[in-house]
Structures are given as C-alpha cells and as structure tokens.
Amino acid sequence: MHDQQLLRYSRQIMLPAVDIAGQQALLDARVLIIGMGGLGSPAALYCAAAGVGTLAISDFDEVDLSNLQRQIVHRQASIGQLKVDSAKVTLNGLNPECQIITLPEKLTGAALLEQVRLADVVLDCSDRFSTRFAINQACVTAKTPLVSGAAIQFGGQLSVFDSREANSPCYRCLYDDSDDEALRCAENGVIAPLVGVIGTMQALEAIKLISGAGKAAVGRLLVFDALNTQWRSMTLSQDPACPVCGFENTGF
Ligand SMILES: [Zn+2]
C-alpha cells in the first residue's frame, strides 16, 4: 500500500477490526454487482470509495430520465448511455484506482457462473425474481457469498447467503418460483432514499465479508419498514427440500 492509499483509507485502517490487513483484502478483492439501478448505485459507490480493488458491474439497460430520482451513480448528462458506462465514469471520478469491469449484457448461464466464480462476493441488486434465482444458483454452485437486497415502495429487505458454511440457507430456500410475479420498482414506485439504505447495507455486508470485520448477516432476513422506521431481523433455516441447496436433492 502506498502513501496515498494509506491516507485515502486511513479512517478504515484505524479501525482495529479492519487494520492494514483488512484494507489490503479489500484492495485485493473483486466484487460483482448485478444491476446498476437504485440498489447498485450506492452499493457500487461505497465499494469503490472504501477501496474494493476490482468492481465488475453488470447491466444491459440504458439510463432513463425516470431513473435519476434514485439511481444516484448516474447523471443527467448520461441519459441514453449504457448504465455500466455511466456508472464507470462516476465511480472512477470518485476513486481512479478502482478497476471497473463493465458487463453490458444480461448475465446468464455459463457467463454468469464464470463471473460469480471470479468474484469474492456477489451483490444482487437486480429487480426480477428470475434473475435473482439464477444468481443464487450460480452462487451456490461456485460457493461465492451472496448479498441480496430488495426495495419496493416503502419496504426493504437484506440477506446474506454463504454456501461455504454448512447447512447455510440460500435465496431459493426463502422464495419459490410462484413468487415470480412480484413487485418491481418500475411498475410500483419506490421512495428514493430507501434504495440508498438497502444498497448501502449491501456494500457494508460485502466489506465485512472481505475485510473479516464483524459478523455478516448470514442466514438472516432483515426487513426494513421505512414508513414506521422499524427493522426486523429473522433467522432463516435451510429448506431440506430446496431444489438448489437442500440435502434431500444433493444425494447426501
Ligand atoms: Zn436453498
């Protein structure tokens, strides 16, 4: 770590739970963020600011005027550009040392699994159940920790799934295919700072997982009620019949 890095990250390095070793782990880490929308914006900004060395960002969409109310990594001048290109400019403006890998396609199948394998942590900042199930499957297969966030209207959710831990639940233990017609921001509205709260929590959990600080919310579901300013925390259990991670389906 050079002098400029010691200065840039000094407020983290002085934390005993992070120290030089934790900061170096962040600099050496690669985080995959899927979705450069409302959740992906603050998640990517904080990961870049905090010194995550490599950020792979995936989104096939372009910046639209209606995105700017909450997708704070994008700028008015970026309307019409690919979201990953728009985000890269903002993120490198914040921290030029953060290597940004842009993936301007819908990641599926082998390409998704390859990116998940390359990552130390995956942040699911997407807004469709079909995408969320595919990301979860890839994370279980690759044994890459997954930080999952969701926000709609005035409600948010956060969970961390870590398949490296025995009997740890996965996203599919929590939801099944019948939930596919669920709410999306595009059709149902969302209050702007809510995606900031949840996306920022995703960055925080990722930074904890990588630096080793504290204990990430593995196997827990945190539910935020923004209208009443209340957090609830629930413990999740692995579903033995889960088609992705359940032992009834893996032959053990
Ligand atoms: Zn499962």
Side-chain angles (χ1 to χ4, degrees):
M1 222 179 291
H2 56 70
D3 284 354
Q4 287 294 309
Q5 288 176 318
L6 289 170
L7 186 58
R8 179 185 282 269
Y9 305 118
S10 59
R11 300 308 192 274
Q12 277 175 186
I13 293 169
M14 69 173 61
L15 297 168
V18 178
D19 212 328
I20 291 276
Q23 188 63 52
Q24 190 60 53
L26 288 168
L27 291 168
D28 294 339
R30 175 169 171 142
V31 172
L32 172 63
I33 304 181
I34 299 174
M36 271 298 113
L39 298 171
S41 288
L45 284 163
Y46 272 114
C47 283
V52 170
T54 305
L55 276 183
I57 56 175
S58 164
D59 201 308
F60 58 88
D61 212 353
E62 295 167 0
V63 180
D64 181 82
L65 178 60
S66 66
N67 299 151
L68 299 181
Q69 162 258 4
R70 65 195 179 284
Q71 300 184 13
I72 59 169
V73 80
H74 307 301
R75 300 289 177 259
Q76 177 89 18
S78 306
I79 290 172
Q81 290 178 11
L82 280 166
K83 286 186 176 179
V84 290
D85 292 342
S86 161
K88 181 175 178 165
V89 171
T90 310
L91 296 168
N92 275 148
L94 176 61
N95 189 348
E97 289 192 347
C98 182
Q99 191 194 352
I100 310 291
I101 295 166
T102 57
L103 305 164
E105 66 260 340
K106 184 172 167 63
L107 278 182
T108 56
L112 173 62
L113 184 58
E114 169 72 8
Q115 286 301 323
V116 168
R117 281 196 202 282
L118 288 170
D120 296 292
V121 179
V122 175
L123 270 55
D124 183 353
C125 298
S126 69
D127 67 349
R128 287 179 188 275
F129 269 101
S130 55
T131 307
R132 290 175 177 279
F133 286 135
I135 295 167
N136 177 65
Q137 175 72 67
C139 286
V140 171
T141 302
K143 293 195 184 299
T144 306
L146 169 62
V147 182
S148 178
I152 195 81
Q153 297 173 345
F154 285 92
Q157 292 189 359
L158 177 88
S159 290
V160 182
F161 303 102
D162 193 346
S163 309
R164 298 172 301 180
E165 295 185 10
N167 306 117
S168 189
C170 79
Y171 183 83
R172 189 65 171 76
C173 293
L174 191 55
Y175 297 102
D176 67 44
D177 287 329
S178 62
D179 296 319
D180 204 23
E181 298 304 313
L183 299 168
R184 295 184 62 224
C185 291
E187 291 116 36
N188 292 279
V190 61
I191 196 76
L194 175 66
V195 290
V197 170
I198 302 297
T200 300
M201 292 285 289
Q202 288 182 268
L204 179 59
E205 292 302 297
I207 288 165
K208 285 163 57 189
L209 284 164
I210 295 162
S211 68
K215 192 172 179 299
V218 176
R220 285 162 60 203
L221 172 65
L222 289 125
V223 179
F224 181 53
D225 171 0
L227 276 181
N228 296 298
T229 322
Q230 283 183 330
W231 282 96
R232 279 188 303 147
S233 177
M234 285 160 271
T235 303
L236 304 174
S237 305
Q238 187 181 36
D239 177 2
C242 173
V244 176
C245 76
F247 53 79
E248 289 179 3
N249 297 286
T250 53
F252 293 127

